[in-house]
Amino acid sequence: MDSYNSFNVAQQQILEAAKLLNLEDATIELLIQPQREYNFTLHVKMDSGRVKIFKGHRIQYNYARGPAKGGIRFHPDETVDTIRALACWMTWKTAVVDLPLGGAKGGVICDPKNMSERELENLSREYIRAIAPLIGVDKDVPAPDVYTNPQTMAWMMDEYETIVNHHHPGVMTDKPTQIGGTEGRRDATARGGVITVREACKALNIDPTGKFAIQGFGNAGQRAALLHQEIFGGGKLIAVSDSKGAIYNPDGFDAKELVMHKLKTGSVLNFPGSKKIPHNDLLELDVEILYPAALENSISGNNAGKVKAKIICELANGPTTPEADLILNKKGIYVIPDILASAGGVTVSYLEMVQDKYSYFWTEDVVHKHVDEKLTKAFHTVRDAMNEKKVHPRLGAMVVGVARVAEACKLRGWV
Ligand code: GLU
């Protein structure tokens, strides 16, 4: 991982887009920083009987277009700046897909892999006790992110409803379907990404059934492995990695069996027929499509020159450093940027909020149809902006997102 400060990177991206859009100084000043941020301590009863103090954050970056929206991450390496960056990217992400939502992100600095189920429940409930006055169906709606999941959302929603003494399922998204969740949320991020790959392959005349690799095998990476082959009716998955290591097989993996192996053993390592390779080698393989689905800054100036993929679909948030971006662009690699490629998750979160409001739930097919429409439209809006401004895909997407948020701020009379 590079030593980039993700929030500095996010701010640079805003400035570049603002320049192309000729935004006024006050607008830039408003967009370059979070509107509200909350930092607090959490005291959690651990299994040992002792209390442990954690640091928690919730940052509402911008809510000009609607309630702030974004996940909550439990991770030991989180900092205020990474959460600021992630909240910032959520703002452009919701705008690029044209959802009536703002952007937010939250996090707790903790090591969930070394915590019991009961400790995680205590932590989740305590987090909601800290932010309950700030969130709500029409204010700020959290969702899962790295190392949080529908069970976390169920505890959090329950804690919130206990505090306000009302049913408010729409206060969290990606809940279990039995308690207000939607069909189609679990594979939504990956589905959105694969849809953008489909459109990019059509536009660039690239065969999506060639070789592909996935860096990161959490929820998004696993679902991308399965959906890529399902949607394209093929595609050879030759390498995958997770935090424990990377594996390779030139003949391709059976995605379903690999997912089962990961769920059973907790890692992709030692999958039958696989060869362990150094982590970074995965990014440098000769593939048609590369899905970075891990953490920030994994494609950097150090390895971008060796990337051979034709398309990079950023399922992770912020996986490419600005230096790497320049190198990839020069090499003619088409990077579908995170704020577009990973927008399927929040798109289905929005569909979940709509269904919760109506208390009427759709079938999976209806959800899939809406995601396909929204992501396909967003992909082409971004491509039009790229062609109009003669810029690369990330800047094209930023121009679309920033312009929409700036317009909402102006209409409200904020600037
Ligand atoms: N954590 C996901 C993201 O980064 C989903 C956010 C949401 O649904 O609010 O896009």
Side-chain angles (χ1 to χ4, degrees), residues 90-120:
M90 280 310 300
T91 306
W92 321 130
K93 197 188 285 193
T94 54
V96 165
V97 222
D98 210 4
L99 306 176
L101 297 170
K105 204 77 167 199
V108 178
I109 300 163
C110 66
D111 187 5
K113 287 191 171 170
N114 288 314
M115 290 171 71
S116 71
E117 178 97 346
R118 189 166 60 175
E119 290 170 340
L120 288 170

Side-chain angles (χ1 to χ4, degrees), residues 69-72 86 90 93 105 141-146 173-174 185 189 317 342-343 345-350:
K69 184 85 192 81
I72 296 169
L86 292 160
M90 280 310 300
K93 197 188 285 193
K105 204 77 167 199
V141 178
D145 200 82
V146 176
T173 57
D174 201 352
R185 177 64 182 84
T189 304
N317 290 303
S342 75
V346 73
T347 301
V348 178
S349 278
Y350 162 67

